Amino acid sequence: MDFGIAGRWALVCAASKGLGKGCAQALAREGVNLVITARGDAALQATAAELRGLAPGIEVRTVAGDITTPEGRAAALVACPQVDILVNNAGGPPPGDFRQWDREAWIKALDANMLTPIELIKATVDAMAARGFGRIVNITSGAVKAPIDILGLSNGARSGLTGFVAGLSRQPQLAGRNVTINNLLPGAFDTDRLQITFKGAAAKTGTPVEQLAQARRKTIPAQRFGQADEFGALCAFVCSQHAGYLTGQNLLIDGGAFGGTF
Ligand code: NAD
């Protein structure tokens, strides 16, 4: 299937590794020009080189910086000639007990996982509508549908974003101009973040990482973790010209882990 987005420009945030990188790779395969961001320049340059190898015809620009800061966002936006596709992503907040979180911890989580995507949407969405094409994908979490108690900062901040997007995506001046806004909700994906979580749990409990990972796999109907490239493939489809009638949705991709009917 031709996704019909070759030659468009995408800003993919937090894309040197993991799910953001998976999205950048899938968009590159569709011929989309890319601006990718991450905090560390070395991994970012390595990813950019991989992307250029995947799709020699596209332009790939890099912006090293923290996307959760006004400076990081400004630099990312300036680097992109026009944002046709926006993939919002940033690292998730740390786990913990809400009794230990002060106002600063909450503001940090809200900044990263709610207000940063909203600021980037604000900066790009009206120009998308004026051009008659726009695709915005927010990487959130399966925890929006099935909250995880130790991830209270994530549950809270991402639910705030989800509620906001539910309203915004239905504005006729956006949906009626072929601008869609959707959230992708990952379950357990085999990325650095997941490995770090297992290493932390192994250090605490003394149980080997592989044993913890295997126990977790068994809880997922697919009996495995997701791969970043399958996440990227869904992202690319949602960004394609074929998905103009899909907006305001929360698409869970979790190997069947969420047990509800809807
Ligand atoms: P990852 O740690 O593998 O990769 C994160 C990427 O984001 C890296 O490229 C890193 O440099 C970049 N990054 C992080 N914070 C940034 C910032 N402030 N500014 C710019 N770049 C930044 O993580 P991942 O597993 O790909 O997760 C991506 C998002 O999805 C996170 O918010 C995570 O909480 C969420 N999520 C992941 C899973 C999973 O199983 N992997 C499950 C649910 C939710």
Side-chain angles (χ1 to χ4, degrees):
M1 187 192 277
D2 176 1
F3 280 12
I5 48 177
R8 297 215 177 261
W9 275 93
L11 168 56
V12 187
C13 305
S16 67
K17 296 179 189 168
L19 303 180
K21 180 177 174 181
C23 294
Q25 286 172 321
L27 290 169
R29 285 195 189 94
E30 297 307 318
V32 175
N33 300 305
L34 294 164
V35 173
I36 57 168
T37 87
R39 283 170 303 192
D41 197 46
L44 189 62
Q45 295 309 331
T47 297
E50 267 184 57
L51 293 167
R52 291 183 191 111
L54 261 184
I58 65 166
E59 193 174 334
V60 180
R61 300 183 184 176
T62 58
V63 178
D66 185 340
I67 200 69
T68 69
T69 64
E71 306 75 46
R73 289 191 290 277
L77 289 166
V78 162
C80 201
Q82 70 181 47
V83 183
D84 302 309
I85 294 168
L86 168 65
V87 180
N88 278 314
N89 185 32
D97 182 332
F98 94 101
R99 293 165 188 83
Q100 265 82 57
W101 296 331
D102 55 14
R103 180 177 166 77
E104 203 186 321
W106 275 106
I107 297 296
K108 210 169 166 206
L110 291 170
D111 256 342
N113 299 109
M114 178 181 173
L115 300 177
T116 288
I118 292 174
E119 288 287 346
L120 288 170
I121 292 170
K122 185 176 161 191
T124 55
V125 77
D126 290 330
M128 290 176 177
R131 292 191 297 267
F133 178 91
R135 298 285 184 265
I136 298 174
V137 167
N138 303 304
I139 300 180
T140 65
S141 173
V144 170
K145 239 174 125 72
I148 302 165
D149 72 342
I150 56 162
L151 293 179
L153 290 169
S154 171
N155 300 337
R158 296 187 201 276
S159 295
L161 175 66
T162 304
F164 170 76
V165 162
L168 182 72
S169 59
R170 289 168 172 89
Q171 286 189 349
Q173 66 264 41
L174 301 179
R177 292 285 304 157
N178 193 22
V179 176
T180 69
I181 315 178
N182 293 288
N183 305 314
L184 300 188
L185 283 56
F189 275 78
D190 194 7
T191 65
D192 282 4
R193 181 173 162 94
L194 194 72
Q195 290 304 324
I196 288 165
T197 311
F198 285 135
K199 279 180 193 148
K204 256 192 201 160
T205 60
T207 311
V209 167
E210 185 42 37
Q211 200 174 319
L212 291 169
Q214 187 55 14
R216 179 77 190 276
R217 280 188 204 103
K218 292 277 167 223
T219 68
I220 302 168
Q223 303 282 287
R224 65 177 178 88
F225 299 127
Q227 297 299 319
D229 64 342
E230 46 195 346
F231 189 88
L234 176 60
C235 176
F237 175 74
V238 172
C239 295
S240 76
Q241 68 166 8
H242 307 295
Y245 207 51
L246 176 78
T247 196
Q249 299 305 303
N250 290 286
L251 304 174
L252 186 63
I253 172 165
D254 70 347
F258 177 72
T261 305
F262 299 105

